[in-house]
Amino acid sequence: MQLASKYDPSLVEDKWYAFWMEKGYFYSYPDKRVPYTIVIPPPNVTGVLHMGHMLNNTLQDVLIRRARMLGFNACWVPGTDHASIATEAKVVQKLQAEGIEKHQLTREEFLKHAWEWKEKHGGIILEQLKKLGASLDWNRTRFTMDPKYYESVIHVFVRLYEEGLIYKGYRMINWDPQALTALSDEEVIYKEVSGKLYYVRYYFVEDPTRYLVIATTRPETILADTAVCVNPNDERYKSYIGKKVYVPLVRRPVSVIADEYVDMEFGTGCLKITPAHDPNDYEIGLKHQLEVIDIFTERATLNEKAQILVGKDRFEARKEIVHLLDNQQHIEKIEDYIHKVGFSERTDVIIEPRLSEQWFLSMKELAKPALDVVMKDEVKFYPAKFKNTYRHWMENVKDWCISRQLWWGHRIPAWYLPDGSYVVAHHEGEALQKAREKNPNIDLSDLKQDEDVLDTWFSSWIWPLAVFDGILDSNNEDFKYYYPTNDLVTAPEIMFFWVARMIMAGLHFQQKIPFKNVYYTGIVRDKIGRKMSKSLGNSPEPLDLIARYGADGVRFGVLFCSPAGNDLLFDESLCEQGRNFSNKIWNALRLVKSWHVSHEISSPEYAELAIQWFYHNLQSNKIQIEENFNNFRISDSLHLLYQLIWDDFCSWYLEIVKPSFGNPVDSKTYQQTISYFKELMMLLHPFMPFITEEVWQALRDSEDPESIMISRWLKAENFDKTILDEFEFIKELVSTIRGFRKQNDVPTHEKIAAQFAPREMKETILKYAPIVKKLTNLESLIEVNEKPKDHLLYMVRTESFFFPTKSLNIEEEKNRLLEELAYYEGFLASVQKKLSNESFLSKAPAEIVQKEKKKEADALEKIKAIKEKLKIL
């Protein structure tokens, strides 16, 4: 097999992915093997690959490829989420570009456009995952609006309604004025913003010369005020309780009421109460039976009930109202104010609290068992620190607003009768039957289905159940075999949106957990810690990275710095490091394949020793890698493999066993080297599938599987730690001899005679002398009792080694070292003076103190090394 001089990922990756697909290696069906199942967190059908997807899906691919090689029946289910809000926005945008407004279309006409958009754009991200090397079972691709999946969602709604867990209620909800839909509490992201705190005068009805001052961040809602509230224990305001004040601008008389909810320390201790536009005010309004005046349209513009500025956007209205208040002497003062404001997770606009009739799912009954299984580690979180976050949310869970005012999605299966009552059913035929139980004279034309659709998360919370059709038929072969799944890889920010709810659904509908382990990835940030985003321009295009560095290089880059649950500081240089790793492996392959093999010669002693050492080293690393995988320390495993392959195999093992120029290698050493090389590629395959497949194909013989992907992971065997410790000493010795050559300008091709005076390591030195001689070009390594004349002493741990000085001017070297010693001792004194200063230690930031301690440690180490060199002289 002719090997190219340079590894080119672009010539390799498409070839091997097509090969794997053609052979059906990704496909899984139930058999007698133990299943290993992962379901993909379904990306939005609107989505394209970004760095978060790259990390998440690379991790899943590592787990699934390794599971295949361990002999499990590995099944990784792909799919996409219909993403109600995001997709409807895309379709509306497309229609507007064509001069069509949504309201001009019927629901059926709009949905036709939505499906056309989905068919054209919906599979982009899945195709992009193929470029990454993701080994998903594409035959099982699911979409949350597929007919059977749709039916599953409706079935779940009906069942929960019949169990009394779904109900319809009129209450304060989060409203997205851009998407024109309700949101659940979890879909609101709170951000700190710079705003203003407006102090506004409310004049008394009885005495217009006197007033109360309230502080508000939202002066536009003053128009909807129906009371002013003070704390009953606040001595400043006790005499005003029961009196009336005018609402500024609209001169509506409202009462001063008392409620202990009021924080006496905030603002003036006096609140305006706007039941229609604040959830806390709404609760006070219910308690005190206040009037509710809703002044906003669904688009958050002022309506007729506002009386003034009708049609104005809420933020424009704010500016004008502040101006009007100021003109009429209602403004006491205005202060800068930092506060948290809720934004829509989907559209990033400021949400509006709004009173609305919506469908809700009661959560407390579902939450308790789902909390228990996590607290008892029946579902394990990695890292475990997320258990506390999970517990806090589950213990304070609120009912879930599940209805959305959209057309794209699963339509709520409720049908309304002419009298306003409704029935909930699986389909309109069943709805008619149930309606006739109420009124025998009802016809289908009399029924009107609810216009709303369900929250997107209401379909994805049954994902592990529904992808195997377990909602509609829990006795089917696939469901019984693949459910529960094994591992879930996801981001902690959707712990409540998705993870918690999937656990609830699994336990409620099947009395089984949906997965055994949850691995939480961190946020992908740039190298200076900023979250990656298109707006900041710090998020590279994944496909561009793959084009530059190859999929293996990019996979290496995102995994090399991604400890579980901690943010990933991504630097493109990591992908370059991954590409260089591929090149290192390729060059090692070219080296090994260039050797001429002889069956006539026996193994040299240095090769026998190297083979023995690498065997034990390999077993030790395999045990550690296994332990890392068991604890989801995926990045740690890659670090081990990187060092094992680059340093131990390429830089040490191959350097030891390679034959001298022009000479053959013995067949035993060659075969063992090939065997090690193949096993290393098997260990690396889950992380870097393409380069490992290419190398496998160059190394495999007729007895090997036709693809590394279906090779069997070799179990770790016992290892001898003594041999590993011995070889670490030999590494230090070799490095010392090489250092001596460099420091004293002794060419590597020039043979030298070394001597040693042993203390504890005599047997080790003599045992590995063949390796030391080969790697350092020693003519001899002779045992002596004392330091020979005209030799330099070098210490390796407790052992003394002597090398001929030749051209070294000892006096000059000694003076140079004494100067260097004086410098570092002075530097150390200045650092230690700073560290002994209590004022510095108490006031300086921790990282500054840590830097000074590092300087101290480095200086001490340098001084020690210089003194050791002076002893030699």
Side-chain angles (χ1 to χ4, degrees):
M1 180 179 180
Q2 186 65 37
L3 297 176
S5 60
K6 190 176 179 184
Y7 179 69
D8 186 348
S10 66
L11 301 177
V12 168
E13 294 176 350
D14 288 346
K15 172 183 73 174
W16 290 125
Y17 200 88
F19 172 75
W20 297 328
M21 289 279 284
E22 179 190 337
K23 294 291 184 178
Y25 293 148
F26 304 162
Y27 179 57
S28 173
Y29 55 88
D31 59 23
K32 292 182 180 179
R33 289 175 293 168
V34 176
Y36 174 85
T37 316
I38 295 177
V39 291
I40 195 174
N44 286 353
V45 75
T46 59
V48 292
L49 204 60
H50 59 59
M51 294 306 293
H53 292 133
M54 293 281 282
L55 171 62
N56 184 284
N57 287 285
T58 299
L59 285 164
Q60 289 175 84
D61 197 44
V62 169
L63 295 173
I64 209 77
R65 284 180 181 273
R66 177 172 174 271
R68 282 193 199 96
M69 296 173 76
L70 285 169
F72 291 100
N73 187 349
C75 179
W76 184 14
V77 180
T80 49
D81 187 287
H82 65 283
S84 291
I85 296 175
T87 305
E88 185 145 327
K90 291 275 189 185
V91 177
V92 168
Q93 190 178 16
K94 170 190 170 287
L95 290 171
Q96 286 173 340
E98 297 169 1
I100 305 169
E101 294 295 329
K102 178 186 170 184
H103 64 79
Q104 296 173 324
L105 302 174
T106 64
R107 187 186 194 107
E108 289 68 27
E109 288 169 340
F110 178 83
L111 289 176
K112 185 181 176 185
H113 284 285
W115 277 105
E116 286 173 357
W117 189 94
K118 183 266 175 187
E119 293 305 317
K120 185 175 179 181
H121 302 281
I124 290 174
I125 191 167
L126 298 184
E127 289 302 311
Q128 291 174 327
L129 286 175
K130 294 177 181 177
K131 299 295 288 183
L132 185 64
S135 56
L136 290 138
D137 184 350
W138 298 109
N139 294 319
R140 293 185 176 275
T141 304
R142 297 292 181 264
F143 176 49
T144 50
M145 291 274 281
D146 286 340
K148 273 201 167 184
Y149 203 105
Y150 196 112
E151 193 179 341
S152 298
V153 174
I154 300 306
H155 180 88
V156 164
F157 184 98
V158 174
R159 174 171 162 179
L160 292 171
Y161 175 79
E162 290 174 347
E163 291 173 351
L165 293 174
I166 284 180
Y167 64 92
K168 201 170 187 185
Y170 184 78
R171 60 172 65 177
M172 184 73 70
I173 51 94
N174 306 298
W175 181 259
D176 183 327
Q178 180 172 310
L180 302 181
T181 182
L183 302 173
S184 68
D185 291 339
E186 291 72 38
E187 289 171 297
V188 178
I189 309 298
Y190 287 91
K191 304 177 188 178
E192 279 198 347
V193 299
S194 299
K196 302 286 184 185
L197 193 58
Y198 302 90
Y199 289 78
V200 183
R201 298 168 179 167
Y202 282 57
Y203 290 92
F204 283 99
V205 172
E206 293 177 357
D207 183 359
T209 64
R210 300 174 62 216
Y211 53 82
L212 290 175
V213 178
I214 62 94
T216 180
T217 59
R218 301 195 66 200
E220 66 276 16
T221 62
I222 284 173
L223 307 176
D225 287 354
T226 56
V228 168
C229 191
V230 297
N231 192 301
N233 303 310
D234 195 332
E235 294 295 335
R236 294 172 295 175
Y237 301 118
K238 275 188 176 180
S239 62
Y240 301 130
I241 296 169
K243 296 189 180 299
K244 288 189 179 292
V245 294
Y246 282 120
V247 175
L249 305 182
V250 293
R251 289 190 61 79
R252 180 187 310 117
V254 298
S255 296
V256 178
I257 62 173
D259 197 288
E260 290 188 346
Y261 164 77
V262 177
D263 179 0
M264 291 186 285
E265 302 300 319
F266 175 76
T268 62
C270 189
L271 293 184
K272 60 192 279 308
I273 304 300
T274 317
H277 301 296
D278 182 275
N280 297 314
D281 289 8
Y282 177 64
E283 294 301 323
I284 291 174
L286 287 176
K287 185 175 174 182
H288 295 271
Q289 299 180 314
L290 298 177
E291 182 185 3
V292 177
I293 303 172
D294 185 349
I295 62 166
F296 287 134
T297 68
E298 62 180 8
R299 296 186 181 276
T301 59
L302 297 188
N303 62 25
E304 289 76 8
K305 290 182 182 177
Q307 300 182 46
I308 61 172
L309 304 177
V310 175
K312 287 281 184 184
D313 172 76
R314 53 186 168 161
F315 300 120
E316 282 300 314
R318 178 180 298 177
K319 294 175 189 173
E320 296 195 29
I321 283 172
V322 170
H323 181 68
L324 290 170
L325 288 169
D326 195 31
N327 284 345
Q328 296 183 26
Q329 285 76 51
H330 284 288
I331 296 289
E332 179 90 358
K333 61 179 177 176
I334 300 173
E335 294 178 343
D336 291 331
Y337 186 62
I338 305 292
H339 62 133
K340 287 193 173 180
V341 175
F343 287 76
S344 167
E345 190 258 345
R346 293 296 186 192
T347 62
D348 202 36
V349 300
I350 294 176
I351 61 104
E352 197 59 58
R354 192 178 195 211
L355 283 168
S356 177
E357 189 173 43
Q358 302 286 342
W359 291 90
F360 292 88
L361 174 57
S362 180
M363 298 290 277
K364 288 198 183 301
E365 183 181 321
L366 297 169
K368 189 180 183 312
L371 173 60
D372 290 343
V373 294
V374 171
M375 291 300 106
K376 293 175 182 175
D377 283 336
E378 291 173 39
V379 176
K380 288 187 177 180
F381 281 7
Y382 295 88
K385 66 181 182 182
F386 287 112
K387 286 172 65 175
N388 286 333
T389 314
Y390 179 86
R391 180 179 61 195
H392 177 76
W393 186 78
M394 295 293 266
E395 287 177 346
N396 297 279
V397 70
K398 296 179 181 177
D399 286 358
W400 176 9
C401 176
I402 58 174
S403 47
R404 299 291 180 268
Q405 288 64 56
L406 302 164
W407 282 349
W408 174 249
H410 305 89
R411 194 170 179 182
I412 288 175
W415 282 262
Y416 296 88
L417 283 67
D419 63 2
S421 64
Y422 60 86
V423 293
V424 170
H426 292 88
H427 48 77
E428 63 179 17
E430 185 184 6
L432 179 60
Q433 182 183 340
K434 287 184 174 181
R436 283 179 173 166
E437 291 172 8
K438 293 187 171 193
N439 181 350
N441 300 317
I442 288 288
D443 288 325
L444 193 57
S445 59
D446 296 320
L447 298 180
K448 186 177 183 205
Q449 188 175 354
D450 198 303
E451 291 289 328
D452 291 352
V453 298
L454 288 159
D455 176 15
T456 297
W457 296 103
F458 191 84
S459 54
S460 57
W461 81 316
I462 60 169
W463 183 249
L465 298 159
V467 293
F468 299 114
D469 201 22
I471 295 290
L472 300 177
D473 177 15
S474 59
N475 288 316
N476 78 74
E477 189 181 10
D478 274 4
F479 185 72
K480 287 194 294 183
Y481 183 75
Y482 291 114
Y483 187 90
T485 66
N486 294 74
D487 301 326
L488 179 74
V489 180
T490 190
E493 56 260 34
I494 58 171
M495 185 191 299
F496 315 127
F497 288 120
W498 197 45
V499 179
R501 290 169 180 167
M502 282 192 289
I503 296 172
M504 291 181 202
L507 292 172
H508 188 75
F509 296 113
Q510 283 297 317
Q511 295 75 54
K512 290 180 185 176
I513 55 175
F515 29 72
K516 301 178 183 73
N517 304 296
V518 183
Y519 175 97
Y520 290 109
T521 64
I523 296 169
V524 183
R525 300 183 181 276
D526 63 20
K527 59 185 177 183
I528 60 173
R530 299 175 304 172
K531 186 174 180 179
M532 284 195 166
S533 71
K534 302 252 184 215
S535 58
L536 282 176
N538 65 344
S539 181
E541 286 293 336
L543 294 185
D544 291 345
L545 289 177
I546 289 173
R548 282 200 294 278
Y549 304 108
D552 286 331
V554 178
R555 288 166 68 112
F556 178 97
V558 296
L559 289 179
F560 207 64
C561 55
S562 58
N566 292 320
D567 291 351
L568 179 159
L569 296 180
F570 178 78
D571 186 342
E572 196 169 316
S573 64
L574 290 167
C575 297
E576 187 176 5
Q577 187 178 349
R579 182 184 63 189
N580 293 343
F581 189 30
S582 291
N583 290 333
K584 183 75 171 178
I585 293 167
W586 187 251
N587 288 334
L589 174 67
R590 291 180 66 235
L591 172 68
V592 172
K593 295 296 283 184
S594 72
W595 294 345
H596 173 64
V597 183
S598 170
H599 296 277
E600 310 301 323
I601 60 175
S602 57
S603 307
E605 193 176 358
Y606 60 73
E608 294 278 4
L609 288 164
I611 288 169
Q612 180 193 53
W613 159 70
F614 197 78
Y615 169 82
H616 291 281
N617 189 26
L618 183 58
Q619 306 315 312
S620 171
N621 274 276
K622 281 162 64 176
I623 289 169
Q624 187 60 57
I625 288 166
E626 191 75 20
E627 185 180 326
N628 285 341
F629 267 107
N630 290 340
N631 291 286
F632 287 86
R633 296 199 298 266
I634 312 298
S635 182
D636 291 355
S637 289
L638 182 55
H639 278 263
L640 278 177
L641 281 168
Y642 181 73
Q643 183 176 334
L644 177 63
I645 294 169
W646 188 298
D647 293 339
D648 294 348
F649 184 69
C650 295
S651 299
W652 287 99
Y653 175 83
L654 290 182
E655 283 300 307
I656 296 169
V657 303
K658 76 176 181 183
S660 55
F661 182 74
N663 291 321
V665 65
D666 67 279
S667 58
K668 178 184 175 184
T669 299
Y670 181 75
Q671 289 304 323
Q672 190 58 63
T673 300
I674 295 295
S675 175
Y676 285 155
F677 209 153
K678 285 193 286 192
E679 187 165 0
L680 290 171
M681 292 303 95
M682 290 163 67
L683 291 169
L684 184 62
H685 176 73
F687 300 92
M688 301 175 74
F690 295 109
I691 178 69
T692 51
E693 183 71 84
E694 184 76 359
V695 172
W696 178 267
Q697 296 298 333
L699 295 176
R700 80 181 187 92
D701 57 35
S702 58
E703 294 180 3
D704 291 321
E706 63 180 347
S707 170
I708 193 171
M709 195 175 154
I710 55 170
S711 63
R712 285 290 168 261
W713 193 281
L714 299 176
K715 291 287 184 184
E717 297 177 9
N718 293 331
F719 67 93
D720 187 334
K721 188 174 183 299
T722 302
I723 290 174
L724 299 184
D725 291 341
E726 289 173 350
F727 202 83
E728 285 307 305
F729 172 81
I730 295 305
K731 281 184 180 180
E732 291 177 38
L733 174 55
V734 168
S735 297
T736 299
I737 298 171
R738 287 172 173 172
F740 160 77
R741 283 184 177 277
K742 187 175 180 182
Q743 291 164 11
N744 297 283
D745 298 321
V746 180
T748 54
H749 65 269
E750 184 180 311
K751 284 192 176 292
I752 55 173
Q755 300 176 29
F756 72 101
R759 289 186 189 173
E760 302 168 9
M761 307 291 289
K762 176 180 176 179
E763 296 305 318
T764 299
I765 296 165
L766 293 174
K767 175 182 175 181
Y768 291 96
I771 287 178
V772 176
K773 289 178 181 178
K774 183 172 191 294
L775 291 180
T776 60
N777 200 17
L778 288 185
E779 186 175 30
S780 59
L781 182 59
I782 300 167
E783 181 183 349
V784 294
N785 293 321
E786 58 185 32
K787 179 188 172 189
K789 187 179 178 184
D790 298 329
H791 277 62
L792 289 177
L793 165 66
Y794 277 77
M795 296 297 296
V796 182
R797 299 189 190 174
T798 59
E799 308 304 298
S800 303
F801 290 86
F802 312 107
F803 306 107
T805 56
K806 203 176 178 182
S807 58
L808 180 68
N809 186 318
I810 292 177
E811 200 58 38
E812 284 182 11
E813 180 67 7
K814 190 172 184 179
N815 289 335
R816 185 187 69 78
L817 288 171
L818 286 170
E819 283 181 19
E820 198 174 348
L821 179 63
Y823 167 78
Y824 278 105
E825 285 178 335
F827 177 77
L828 176 65
S830 68
V831 172
Q832 289 180 331
K833 184 178 179 183
K834 189 182 285 188
L835 287 172
S836 64
N837 186 327
E838 289 299 326
S839 176
F840 168 75
L841 293 174
S842 62
K843 293 177 182 177
E847 61 267 23
I848 299 296
V849 174
Q850 202 57 43
K851 279 183 182 177
E852 292 302 314
K853 288 182 177 178
K854 175 77 167 54
K855 287 179 186 177
E856 179 187 39
D858 291 345
L860 285 167
E861 193 173 327
K862 192 72 178 174
I863 289 167
K864 182 182 176 184
I866 293 169
K867 286 181 176 178
E868 287 293 333
K869 284 185 180 179
L870 285 167
K871 281 183 191 175
I872 293 170
L873 298 174

